[in-house]
Amino acid sequence: MVQKIDWRAPRGTHDILPADEAVWRFVMGIIERRARGFGMGRIETPIFERAELFQRSLGETTDVVTKELFEVNHYVTEVGEEGTHYALRPEGTASILRAYLEHGMHVWPQPIKLWHMGPMFRAERPQKGRYRQFWSAGFEVIGDADPTVDALLIHLAWQIMGDLALRDQIVVDINSIGDNLCRPKYRKALVAYYQDVREQLCPTCQERLLKNPLRLLDCKEASCTELKADAPQMFDHLCTNCREHFRVVLESLDELGVVYDLNPNLVRGLDYYTRTAFEIRAKDDDGRQAALTGGGRYDNLLGELSTKSTAGVGFAIGIERLIEKVIATGLEIPNLQTADVFLIQLGERAKKASFNVLAKLTDSGLTVICQAGQEGLKDQLGLADKARVRFALIIGQREALDETVIVRDMFEATQETILQKDILKVLTDRISSSQNPQ
Ligand code: HAM
């Protein structure tokens, strides 16, 4: 007996089906348009990299590295790479900086502006909005330390939220987490405060106190939240340069009309940030703090990976979370027109004639749906309607004999019969006049 396999997608992953395509394409289209409008070029990096890249960039003690990295046990013997330790990428910034170094982007015109979109992998405990494979779109500006760039990137995220009619539903949280000069002093003050109340912290935070004290500010446990109220704040410990940087970021955001909240407890889950850190979350977040977008400045990251130190700032959007929000708000998504033409043939002779027409149309670049196995005019017209195709071409026995074809405009509900030899011209004229109405 054949053993059945489990046909469900692995926990925390999901299929994206044709029915989801309209909203995915709509959201991705908006992101792409905004990224290009910002002067960004698209980069796509491999889905796996050497694990060391993530360990070194995201922080050895972060959850993403210690608990959530999908490690790939692959030993490539024939090219002598035995034992190379790979991991599926949990985020995009580290890979982009690796590509920056590999391609010598420091000699390209500066700053480098890149965006990307693709699946990321984190072995988290799956729940709504938290997946093990999720898509993200990331935006990076490398080689510009100016604080106005931070503001312009936050504005870019704000614009994308506006395009998706989400501005009323979101909060932009912003903080400065200082730099290598002032953060160690702040960390010291924080540890001193929490040492005295150590017993009252949740077990995770007791561990954080030893390994990554800044993350104490991020805890949602009731006892820890209470303690946070009296904890020292980063604002009060910023050095002069960081304070000035933050002032310009906030002033620029005001100029750009971005509405934001100052959140002194925002620290982010990745270690590479300096100065500006920001997140966009839904107002109705119900305390899960599932951010739609997160990012900030990472001026020290490149210097930690190589001898080429330069400033960087960026953010990434979680596509599934964004799409869930867009669907929940009921935004009208334009229907997808899947093809230019739906070709209907009725009978054997008509089938042959229709193949001739199909070849002619597709060779000239039109997209044509042809359900060769389907019979019956009504069924096929129904399919054409569902596919949101404007033109249905109908070839029956009579048309096959006369070398004609019926052109039915599905949107206008009109039709005419023309010669098959004229079909390409008629269709291209009609399509171009509908795209450029007088
Ligand atoms: P991140 O905040 O770790 O930042 O992830 C970016 C976004 O990805 C989050 O705001 C969230 O919407 C989404 N996301 C994260 N984890 C999951 C998950 N398990 N399931 C669904 N969505 C998720 C970064 O990745 C940084 N690389 C952003 C950045 C770019 N900073 C500077 N440049």
Side-chain angles (χ1 to χ4, degrees):
M1 204 176 77
V2 181
Q3 186 93 35
K4 277 194 191 158
I5 63 157
D6 187 345
W7 60 85
R8 289 165 304 178
R11 229 159 82 77
T13 72
H14 57 92
D15 301 308
I16 303 166
L17 298 173
D20 309 319
E21 200 192 348
V23 65
W24 274 76
R25 259 225 254 176
F26 176 68
V27 168
M28 286 171 153
I30 283 172
I31 289 173
E32 171 161 8
R33 196 171 64 81
R34 285 294 181 186
R36 293 203 186 285
F38 200 89
M40 292 190 155
R42 183 160 180 169
I43 180 168
E44 286 310 331
T45 59
I47 273 177
F48 67 95
E49 299 268 1
R50 284 179 197 83
E52 187 194 13
L53 174 69
F54 302 122
Q55 286 152 353
R56 296 259 313 266
S57 352
L58 315 187
E60 304 272 359
T61 60
T62 54
D63 284 354
V64 177
V65 164
T66 55
K67 300 185 191 150
E68 297 164 7
L69 214 52
F70 269 105
E71 300 185 28
V72 182
N73 296 320
H74 185 63
Y75 292 83
V76 190
T77 48
E78 67 276 21
V79 289
E81 274 188 56
E82 281 113 299
T84 306
H85 182 191
Y86 296 114
L88 299 184
R89 60 183 187 189
E91 59 101 61
T93 311
S95 306
I96 290 175
L97 288 194
R98 197 263 313 130
Y100 173 97
L101 293 168
E102 177 170 349
H103 302 286
M105 293 188 199
H106 61 288
V107 297
W108 296 9
Q110 301 293 305
I112 303 294
K113 295 181 181 176
L114 299 169
W115 78 284
H116 72 100
M117 179 144 59
M120 303 293 157
F121 305 85
R122 294 184 191 181
E124 300 203 57
R125 200 147 50 87
Q127 51 186 285
K128 190 173 158 26
R130 195 171 292 281
Y131 306 110
R132 290 186 167 168
Q133 175 175 334
F134 61 95
W135 278 62
S136 88
F139 311 82
E140 314 290 350
V141 177
I142 307 167
D144 197 336
D146 198 279
T148 55
V149 183
D150 312 24
L152 285 167
L153 278 168
I154 298 171
H155 181 241
L156 175 63
W158 176 252
Q159 284 180 312
I160 292 171
M161 297 298 158
D163 292 343
L164 294 169
L166 291 179
R167 283 213 187 133
D168 295 345
Q169 326 258 335
I170 55 157
V171 179
V172 179
D173 274 332
I174 184 162
N175 192 16
S176 172
I177 55 167
D179 64 6
N180 284 350
L181 192 70
C182 51
R183 195 166 346 131
K185 289 181 201 154
Y186 173 61
R187 192 182 289 125
K188 226 172 166 183
L190 204 62
V191 171
Y193 167 80
Y194 276 109
Q195 279 296 3
D196 292 344
V197 288
R198 193 167 183 277
E199 301 298 302
Q200 298 166 52
L201 290 170
C202 74
T204 317
C205 280
Q206 298 202 4
E207 209 177 301
R208 283 176 175 151
L209 186 56
L210 301 173
K211 293 189 179 155
N212 200 345
L214 250 60
R215 297 288 296 168
L216 285 161
L217 300 174
D218 208 25
C219 188
K220 311 289 173 317
E221 293 290 328
S223 57
C224 301
T225 310
E226 236 168 75
L227 291 173
K228 236 185 299 185
D230 293 328
Q233 296 208 344
M234 186 71 223
F235 289 146
D236 302 327
H237 290 76
L238 290 179
C239 60
T240 316
N241 288 345
C242 287
R243 192 179 293 266
E244 178 58 14
H245 185 99
F246 199 37
R247 186 187 64 75
V248 178
V249 174
L250 298 183
E251 274 180 18
S252 307
L253 288 175
D254 291 336
E255 287 295 322
L256 289 161
V258 177
V259 180
Y260 56 84
D261 277 0
L262 289 178
N263 180 351
N265 294 328
L266 178 70
V267 284
R268 310 273 301 127
L270 308 166
D271 275 0
Y272 50 61
Y273 293 106
T274 46
R275 296 189 169 166
T276 314
F278 82 98
E279 281 185 1
I280 298 182
R281 60 184 167 80
K283 276 184 187 160
D284 62 358
D285 195 341
D286 66 22
R288 286 181 307 127
Q289 301 282 312
L292 301 168
T293 294
R297 203 161 252 293
Y298 46 88
D299 291 348
N300 299 328
L301 180 54
L302 206 65
E304 278 161 19
L305 296 177
S306 73
T307 50
K308 292 191 177 53
S309 176
T310 191
V313 53
F315 70 92
I317 301 179
I319 306 290
E320 279 86 351
R321 289 185 191 174
L322 191 65
I323 286 180
E324 279 159 22
K325 198 78 211 136
V326 168
I327 292 173
T329 55
L331 182 71
E332 199 161 317
I333 308 294
N335 268 314
L336 280 185
Q337 185 179 330
T338 46
D340 299 311
V341 173
F342 195 104
L343 190 53
I344 298 174
Q345 21 62 35
L346 305 162
E348 272 315 300
R349 190 185 279 247
K351 201 172 267 180
K352 278 195 192 129
S354 75
F355 287 162
N356 205 311
V357 170
L358 175 77
K360 199 193 276 185
L361 297 184
T362 49
D363 279 352
S364 65
L366 292 176
T367 48
V368 183
I369 299 175
C370 175
Q371 305 277 57
Q374 293 278 336
E375 302 296 337
L377 180 61
K378 205 163 152 240
D379 286 351
Q380 294 199 62
L381 278 174
L383 290 172
D385 194 38
K386 254 203 190 130
R388 304 279 313 156
V389 173
R390 171 145 201 186
F391 297 106
L393 302 185
I394 306 163
I395 304 180
Q397 299 290 47
R398 149 106 66 94
E399 288 76 25
L401 275 176
D402 297 351
E403 296 185 4
T404 55
V405 52
I406 300 168
V407 180
R408 184 174 170 84
D409 186 321
M410 301 291 291
F411 295 178
E412 308 274 327
T414 57
Q415 64 181 46
E416 62 172 324
T417 302
I418 61 165
L419 287 170
Q420 282 171 22
K421 71 176 176 53
D422 296 333
I423 185 65
L424 188 58
K425 182 164 178 357
V426 170
L427 280 180
T428 41
D429 284 356
R430 293 265 211 112
I431 289 169
S432 78
S433 71
S434 69
Q435 281 165 351
N436 312 300
Q438 295 300 307

